């Protein structure tokens, strides 16, 4: 196993898992689109300043702007726009549990669109990770709240995220730097959400206090910059194997929700962690997909 790939995956999973808790903290003081748009513009401007002024990276080629817009629409506007809305209606623990659906969605979307076939070891690793997630989530599912519309919104957002992951891994980015792609797709994704921000904005529902800034700045810098940079590195290596790191997100998410939101932990969590680790080991140790070759 590649040590850098593993380290990048663990960092990604921890930072990405923290998004649910940070979102719940931010939602205590502000509307969803206020948090989302603020997050995207802060993160995007930091990345673009770093890329173009400090690292002297060139602007994206003309033929890549449409690709950046599509990626930003899927990965930022639809996915994260819907995610922050859905998090009003479900707990942080269930939010991180939903993230664990993405490896399954990515694997099957890849099989459907790009003729990737899942091997027997791949199916075993998927089953172990899924079972581990539901074992770890069992106490939380008994005590946390959710609504049907919240679950549907989160599911649609996960479909957009999985589609964005496959789109990014299959697109020719003309040698563009990851920081440049991430910066522009974040800004453009935020621009797509501006009309919704203006339409739904209610000054009485927004307090720009410690909760707002703590949640928003964490989402902007460690998550939108740090986690997404890690994710794009993982996708460039192997989109399907990268997806398996998402299985660790519920594990970290439960721990963070326990620390900051007082959500429960139990022996179920420990058992689930062990099963997730076993599934991840299989995914890293064996080739879990193969391309179907036709004459």
């Amino acid at each position: 196993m590649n040590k850098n790939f593993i380290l990048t995956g663990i960092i990604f999973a921890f930072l990405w898992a923290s998004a649910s808790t940070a979102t719940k903290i931010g939602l205590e003081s502000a509307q969803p689109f206020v948090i989302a748009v603020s997050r995207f513009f802060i993160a995007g401007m930091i990345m673009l300043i770093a890329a173009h002024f400090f690292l002297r990276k060139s602007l994206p080629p003309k033929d890549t702007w449409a690709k950046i817009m599509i990626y930003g629409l899927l990965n930022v506007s639809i996915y994260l726009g819907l995610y922050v809305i859905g998090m009003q209606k479900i707990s942080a623990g269930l939010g991180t549990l939903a993230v664990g659906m993405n490896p399954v969605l990515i694997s099957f979307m890849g099989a459907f669109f790009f003729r990737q076939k899942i091997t027997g070891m791949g199916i075993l690793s998927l089953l172990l990770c899924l079972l581990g997630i539901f074992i770890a989530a069992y106490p939380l599912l008994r005590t946390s709240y959710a609504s049907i519309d919240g679950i549907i919104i989160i599911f649609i957002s996960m479909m957009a995220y999985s589609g964005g992951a496959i789109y990014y891994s299959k697109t020719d980015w003309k040698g563009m730097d990851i920081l440049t792609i991430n910066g522009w797709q974040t800004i453009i994704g935020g621009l797509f959400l501006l009309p919704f921000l203006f339409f739904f904005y209610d000054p009485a529902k927004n307090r720009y206090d410690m909760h707002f800034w703590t949640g928003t700045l964490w989402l902007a810098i460690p998550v939108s910059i740090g986690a997404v940079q890690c994710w794009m590195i993982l996708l460039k290596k192997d989109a399907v194997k990268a997806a398996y790191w998402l299985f660790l997100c519920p594990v970290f998410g439960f721990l963070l929700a326990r620390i900051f939101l007082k959500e429960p932990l139990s022996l179920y969590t420990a058992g689930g962690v062990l099963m997730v680790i076993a599934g991840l080991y299989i995914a890293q140790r064996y080739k879990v997909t193969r391309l179907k070759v036709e004459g």
Side-chain angles (χ1 to χ4, degrees):
M1 291 183 286
N2 186 298
K3 292 182 180 179
N4 288 334
F5 188 83
I6 293 172
L7 180 60
T8 303
I10 292 172
I11 293 172
F12 160 75
F14 174 79
L15 292 178
W16 204 240
S18 70
S20 295
T21 297
T23 300
K24 296 294 286 187
I25 291 172
L27 285 170
E28 293 180 19
S29 298
Q31 292 177 284
F33 289 124
V34 172
I35 296 170
V37 172
S38 300
R39 163 193 182 176
F40 300 145
F41 278 99
I42 292 170
M45 289 306 299
I46 291 174
M47 287 186 281
L48 292 181
I49 290 171
H52 298 309
F53 289 93
F54 292 101
L55 300 178
R56 302 295 182 182
K57 302 293 183 181
S58 58
L59 290 171
K62 291 182 180 179
D63 59 349
T64 62
W65 283 106
K67 299 174 183 177
I68 293 173
M69 290 177 67
I70 293 171
Y71 186 48
L73 181 65
L74 290 171
N75 198 54
V76 174
S77 305
I78 300 176
Y79 165 51
L80 293 173
L82 290 177
Y83 184 81
V84 74
I85 294 174
M87 286 306 298
Q88 294 180 110
K89 302 172 181 292
I90 65 173
S91 70
L94 288 176
T96 55
L97 176 64
V99 174
M101 296 165 50
N102 279 299
V104 180
L105 295 175
I106 290 172
S107 295
F108 282 96
M109 289 175 74
F112 182 80
F113 290 108
F114 299 103
R115 295 175 295 155
Q116 288 179 316
K117 296 185 71 176
I118 303 173
T119 66
M121 296 305 291
I123 293 172
L124 176 60
S125 63
L126 281 170
L127 291 175
L128 281 172
C129 289
L130 282 174
L131 185 57
I133 287 172
F134 283 106
I135 288 174
Y138 177 69
L140 182 64
L141 291 172
R142 290 189 305 171
T143 58
S144 62
Y145 62 91
S147 65
I148 296 298
D149 57 336
I151 293 171
I152 292 172
I153 290 169
I154 290 294
F155 180 76
I156 295 172
S157 76
M158 295 304 151
M159 290 288 291
Y161 181 76
S162 299
I166 294 173
Y167 180 80
Y168 175 80
S169 68
K170 298 295 183 180
T171 297
D172 180 8
W173 294 103
K174 307 294 184 181
M176 238 192 310
D177 181 72
I178 289 176
L179 190 64
T180 302
I181 300 171
N182 194 14
W184 282 109
Q185 68 105 11
T186 301
I187 286 287
I188 291 171
L191 287 173
F192 284 139
L193 290 178
L194 275 179
F196 298 95
L197 168 61
F198 294 139
F199 183 80
F200 290 105
Y201 185 75
D202 181 352
K205 295 181 179 179
N206 297 281
R207 304 185 309 276
Y208 300 100
D209 56 13
M210 184 62 70
H211 285 124
F212 170 79
W213 287 112
T214 299
T216 300
L217 290 177
W218 184 268
L219 289 168
I221 300 173
V223 178
S224 284
I225 298 177
V228 175
Q229 289 294 113
C230 291
W231 177 240
M232 294 168 80
I233 291 170
L234 294 170
L235 286 176
K236 278 297 183 183
K237 295 286 186 181
D238 187 319
V240 174
K241 282 191 175 182
Y244 280 78
W245 291 107
L246 292 165
F247 280 121
L248 275 183
C249 290
V251 176
F252 286 128
F254 295 145
L255 293 173
L256 292 170
R258 172 62 178 175
I259 294 170
F260 294 102
L261 302 175
K262 309 305 179 185
E263 292 186 359
L265 286 178
S266 68
L267 290 176
Y268 289 98
T269 308
V273 169
L274 292 176
M275 297 199 74
V276 169
I277 291 173
L280 281 169
Y281 176 78
I282 292 173
Q284 294 297 315
R285 179 66 177 82
Y286 301 98
K287 188 173 179 63
V288 297
T289 62
R290 61 176 180 268
L291 289 177
K292 178 181 178 182
V293 180
E294 295 182 350

